[in-house]
């Protein structure tokens, strides 16, 4: 059972455009993480959000955790070709349980 | 500082054979996690080892097994390989139980023919 739903599954945009990808669940998570994976590599952690309503910024990337801690979004401003990759959200329900991953959003930014 | 290393990079087996995949965690990390990334299915949790003990197991059949050695390295064994076992197998490590901060290796691409 896939407990974390990501949308859209694929996104192809031009350099300079803004975009938002979503991560939704019916379950409450103690924390949510966003990873980016490039071809031939493992996922790399971008950010962890812990508090409901929390917003974190990482240069042009803005991450938000929903108030109820069931969903999260990733907004990229002025996308660049270097942002191309697979964006994965992951969550843990409680201490002692492994991370569950969504299927990811494949982003392609062309110049 | 060396990251998580996995070997081999690629592995080709035939149906029914056994495969062994290896992982060395980041120095100082005692937890090792294994995930399967099959096309279209995302990352599926397989196994979690910490201090040599299995802490958690995903929804996979018993032919997927593993162990963690005293130096915290780990191996994943897959017996009686099936075609659908073809996937990228990713290993991650963290400080003890720090599941919210995983560091991944580049994976082993297993192809079952």
């Amino acid at each position: 059972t896939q407990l974390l739903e990501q949308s859209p599954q694929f996104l192809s945009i031009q350099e300079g455009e803004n975009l938002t990808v979503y991560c939704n669940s019916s379950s409450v998570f103690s924390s949510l993480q966003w990873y980016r994976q490039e071809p031939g590599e493992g996922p790399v952690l971008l950010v962890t959000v812990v508090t409901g309503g929390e917003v974190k910024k990482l240069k042009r990337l803005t991450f938000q955790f929903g108030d109820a801690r069931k969903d999260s979004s990733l907004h990229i401003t002025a996308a660049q070709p270097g942002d191309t990759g697979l964006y994965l959200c992951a969550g843990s329900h409680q201490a002692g349980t492994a991370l569950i991953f969504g299927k990811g959003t494949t982003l392609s930014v062309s110049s | 500082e060396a990251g998580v290393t996995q070997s081999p990079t690629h592995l080709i087996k035939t149906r029914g054979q056994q495969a062994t995949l290896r992982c060395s965690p980041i120095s100082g990390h005692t937890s090792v996690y294994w995930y399967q990334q099959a096309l279209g299915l995302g990352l599926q949790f397989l196994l979690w080892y910490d201090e040599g003990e299995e802490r958690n197991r995903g929804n996979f059949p018993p032919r997927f097994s593993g162990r963690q050695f005293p130096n915290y390295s780990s191996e994943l064994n897959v017996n009686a390989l099936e075609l659908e076992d073809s996937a990228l197998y990713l290993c991650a490590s963290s400080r003890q139980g720090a599941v919210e901060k995983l560091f991944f290796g580049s994976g082993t691409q297993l192809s079952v023919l």
Side-chain angles (χ1 to χ4, degrees), chain B residues 18-112:
Chain B
Q18 186 239 5
T20 298
L21 289 63
R22 296 180 175 84
C23 172
S24 292
I26 290 172
S27 176
H29 288 187
T30 62
S31 288
V32 171
Y33 312 79
W34 287 96
Y35 285 84
Q36 181 195 67
Q37 188 173 29
L39 208 59
L41 295 180
L43 272 75
Q44 303 289 315
F45 168 67
L46 274 162
L47 291 159
W48 171 8
Y49 291 96
D50 184 68
E51 296 283 357
E53 300 289 328
E54 183 180 299
R55 286 287 307 273
N56 204 195
R57 183 182 178 86
N59 189 26
F60 279 83
R63 57 190 187 83
F64 286 85
S65 65
R67 56 179 170 167
Q68 187 178 34
F69 299 99
N71 67 353
Y72 304 116
S73 67
S74 175
E75 68 178 28
L76 173 69
N77 295 291
V78 188
N79 293 319
L81 284 166
E82 300 179 1
L83 297 179
E84 50 266 36
D85 296 333
S86 293
L88 180 67
Y89 288 83
L90 291 162
C91 171
S93 74
S94 76
R95 297 196 182 278
Q96 188 175 39
V99 297
E100 72 282 358
K101 196 167 186 178
L102 301 187
F103 294 81
F104 282 87
S106 297
T108 293
Q109 184 67 51
L110 173 63
S111 298
V112 183

Side-chain angles (χ1 to χ4, degrees), chain A:
Chain A
T1 303
Q2 192 68 36
L3 299 181
L4 279 170
E5 299 290 338
Q6 290 191 242
S7 62
Q9 188 176 356
F10 298 98
L11 194 52
S12 182
I13 62 172
Q14 295 289 317
E15 182 177 3
E17 291 185 34
N18 302 331
L19 67 116
T20 303
V21 298
Y22 301 92
C23 175
N24 295 292
S25 174
S26 58
S27 305
V28 174
F29 287 90
S30 58
S31 67
L32 268 178
Q33 291 79 44
W34 285 91
Y35 286 80
R36 186 173 81 187
Q37 184 179 19
E38 298 185 32
E41 299 294 329
V44 175
L45 178 65
L46 295 174
V47 76
T48 297
V49 286
V50 178
T51 306
E54 181 177 5
V55 176
K56 280 191 174 180
K57 292 191 175 184
L58 187 66
K59 297 183 181 178
R60 294 177 293 99
L61 278 61
T62 302
F63 304 86
Q64 185 162 6
F65 201 10
D67 291 340
R69 292 188 290 130
K70 293 182 179 181
D71 54 85
S72 181
S73 63
L74 158 60
H75 182 80
I76 301 179
T77 303
Q80 299 176 1
D83 296 327
T84 293
L86 176 66
Y87 288 82
L88 296 156
C89 68
S92 174
H93 287 293
Q94 60 187 31
T97 60
L99 274 187
I100 299 168
F101 282 80
K103 291 185 180 182
T105 293
T106 299
L107 172 65
S108 175
V109 183
S110 52
S111 56

